[in-house]
Amino acid sequence: MTLMKSWVESANNAQTPFPLNNLPYGVFTTNALEARCGVAIGDMILDLSAAEEEGLVLLAEDPVFDVPYWNDVMELGSEAWDALRARLIELLEDGAPEQAAVAPHLVPMDEARMELPMVVAEYTDFYAGKHHATNIGTMFRGTENALPPNWLHIPIGYNGRASSVVVSGTDITRPNGQLKAPDADMPTFGPCKRLDIELEMGAIVGTASELGHPVTVAQADEMIFGYVLLNDWSARDIQAWEYQPLGPFQAKAFATSISPWIVTRAALEPFRTSTPEREKELLPYLQEPKPMLYDIDLSVTMKPEGGTDTTICETNYKEMYYSAPQQLAHHASSGCAMTPGDLLGSGTISGPEKHQRGSLIELSWGGKEPITLDTGATRSFIEDGDTLTLHGAAKGDGYQIGFGTCTGTIKPAVKFP
Ligand code: CA
């Protein structure tokens, strides 16, 4: 696969995250336009609501793009998704006869504000990166008990909060919570002192599964509408005190950021790659019929207030031990119904090397080895005013399938009580 040429000039270079090959879906608003669905092409957004109104894109009898979410399109199913992508390529490719009709509906990206691309139905977060799980387990429980006995058999997860999923650019308020040092008699209540990120990918479920009906890994793959970058903000000190025996609760419930553009499965198809070799054979319902991960370069930058960005982590989505379709198949295996707009966090994506660790607790090894930023400042965890940004792109031959960024700045904790 090489770069597909578009009549939108800014889409025709190796650096743009949004060439014609990509066509990611988002929800945007401008000073003149109410929130609606759009597709990114180069440095422009095609206003799909306007294109639909003019009959350039017709997916269903009733309009589906004049609303601030993609859930209606998801519900139409994968044949409609394929038809939409084919039609958009037809409209935007070099030499398209519709160019003159489509061009008036392009909005410059720098005039737009992005919103959450969908109504987040529910949010589940997994723990499916082996390097991360080993690092965290070593710090929390020691080397011998680093990986729990179930880890090589089950994609472990917990039910998170959809209510606190926010779009990239939203400020994050430092959480308050119960804290207890190991040698203290009593916990205290106050601002988290060990605030962290988790570099993850989010898979967005596009079609429903029925209550009581499991799905295969192959079916699960077909159910996924697309992928976003996801930062599972984490309060490590709250987590350490509360997590046993039911897993994280308030340590993760306060905020999860996602990037605004949903990159479709179709755009990522050339970048499919296999999960790593199994250390223990998986039960049949979790085995993959074909490669289900993607080769996506990921990085994290950190910027203190008034400072500059330092890259603190570089890794790749292919480091995961379990893929999103495996996680989705496991999620539905009990008969749990999955719905359009369900968000599945991959789990922190750390590689084997030190600079590939996708969280600060790993990068600073529990705070014992602070990292140094380009400004000279050091950090074990996040301070107020710091901005953390995730970056992601699948790199092809002379083009890339970019995710844009997923960013958030930390504001001080509220005074409570
Ligand atoms: Ca997580």
Side-chain angles (χ1 to χ4, degrees):
M1 181 69 80
T2 52
L3 179 77
M4 294 160 66
K5 277 205 87 184
S6 169
W7 53 263
V8 180
E9 261 317 305
S10 59
N12 295 331
N13 66 71
Q15 275 71 48
T16 179
F18 309 125
L20 185 58
N21 306 57
N22 193 347
L23 300 178
Y25 302 142
V27 167
F28 73 101
T29 170
T30 69
N31 291 342
L33 300 173
E34 282 184 37
R36 60 198 49 217
C37 295
V39 57
I41 178 79
D43 57 14
M44 308 293 273
I45 301 171
L46 174 58
D47 177 348
L48 287 173
S49 178
E52 182 177 58
E53 208 168 298
E54 296 222 350
L56 290 162
V57 184
L58 290 174
L59 266 198
E61 268 178 42
D62 295 319
V64 287
F65 298 118
D66 60 344
V67 287
Y69 46 81
W70 278 80
N71 303 59
D72 286 356
V73 176
M74 295 180 201
E75 284 181 32
L76 294 174
S78 61
E79 273 176 37
W81 309 344
D82 292 345
L84 172 61
R85 182 173 171 84
R87 179 60 178 157
L88 292 174
I89 290 172
E90 203 170 72
L91 292 176
L92 292 166
E93 70 188 347
D94 200 26
E98 296 91 344
Q99 178 176 345
V102 172
H105 306 303
L106 291 176
V107 175
M109 217 172 258
D110 58 15
E111 289 175 16
R113 291 177 299 279
M114 301 306 296
E115 299 195 353
L116 273 179
M118 79 278 196
V119 176
V120 181
E122 302 194 48
Y123 166 50
T124 306
D125 192 34
F126 286 88
Y127 187 57
K130 186 152 174 274
H131 305 292
H132 171 74
T134 304
N135 287 338
I136 294 285
T138 302
M139 279 183 267
F140 278 44
R141 290 180 296 275
T143 324
E144 307 76 53
N145 305 310
L147 278 189
N150 53 7
W151 201 92
L152 293 170
H153 302 279
I154 301 178
I156 294 174
Y158 65 93
N159 288 303
R161 293 292 302 173
S163 65
S164 50
V165 176
V166 296
V167 72
S168 171
T170 307
D171 288 342
I172 306 298
T173 302
R174 179 180 298 273
N176 287 308
Q178 276 205 24
L179 317 167
K180 189 180 109 40
D183 55 353
D185 289 338
M186 286 283 290
T188 57
F189 185 88
C192 158
K193 295 186 185 74
R194 290 159 74 92
L195 185 57
D196 202 352
I197 55 160
E198 290 194 337
L199 165 59
E200 303 192 21
M201 299 289 301
I204 294 164
V205 177
T207 47
S209 73
E210 242 181 287
L211 186 67
H213 291 262
V215 299
T216 65
V217 175
Q219 287 168 331
D221 184 48
E222 295 285 317
M223 286 166 66
I224 293 174
F225 184 62
Y227 292 82
V228 291
L229 302 174
L230 184 150
N231 185 351
D232 177 30
W233 302 95
S234 299
R236 299 300 180 196
D237 38 9
I238 299 173
Q239 184 180 358
W241 171 229
E242 76 174 4
Y243 89 108
Q244 286 176 320
L246 286 185
F249 186 47
Q250 294 306 299
K252 307 278 192 171
F254 61 98
T256 305
S257 300
I258 63 171
S259 54
W261 294 108
I262 303 172
V263 174
T264 61
R265 216 160 21 90
L268 289 170
E269 203 55 38
F271 303 95
R272 268 188 194 269
T273 185
S274 295
T275 42
E277 208 179 310
R278 300 291 105 182
E279 286 177 37
K280 299 263 166 108
E281 195 185 345
L282 291 173
L283 294 174
Y285 83 100
L286 282 175
Q287 289 176 10
E288 293 179 318
K290 65 173 183 179
M292 293 283 183
L293 275 182
Y294 299 97
D295 181 350
I296 301 168
D297 284 345
L298 300 167
S299 64
V300 181
T301 53
M302 186 172 198
K303 185 170 81 69
E305 198 166 10
T308 52
D309 273 312
T310 301
T311 300
I312 58 171
C313 161
E314 286 177 290
T315 183
N316 193 292
Y317 183 46
K318 68 184 175 192
E319 297 289 352
M320 299 311 292
Y321 193 78
Y322 294 100
S323 64
Q326 283 174 312
Q327 293 171 331
L328 177 51
H330 180 64
H331 209 322
S333 64
S334 63
C336 171
M338 304 304 293
T339 45
D342 268 352
L343 176 64
L344 308 183
S346 62
T348 310
I349 306 162
S350 293
E353 306 297 328
K354 197 172 177 184
H355 73 280
Q356 296 176 319
R357 295 171 181 168
S359 66
L360 283 161
I361 192 172
E362 293 170 271
L363 287 164
S364 72
W365 206 252
K368 292 193 187 100
E369 302 166 21
I371 57 168
T372 304
L373 305 179
D374 293 348
T375 56
T378 59
R379 289 286 187 280
S380 292
F381 293 95
I382 307 171
E383 294 186 7
D384 290 345
D386 287 351
T387 299
L388 278 297
T389 306
L390 316 185
H391 311 252
K395 307 275 172 63
D397 179 14
Y399 76 101
Q400 50 181 311
I401 300 295
F403 284 77
T405 57
C406 177
T407 192
T409 299
I410 302 302
K411 299 296 169 198
V414 296
K415 290 237 186 310
F416 178 83

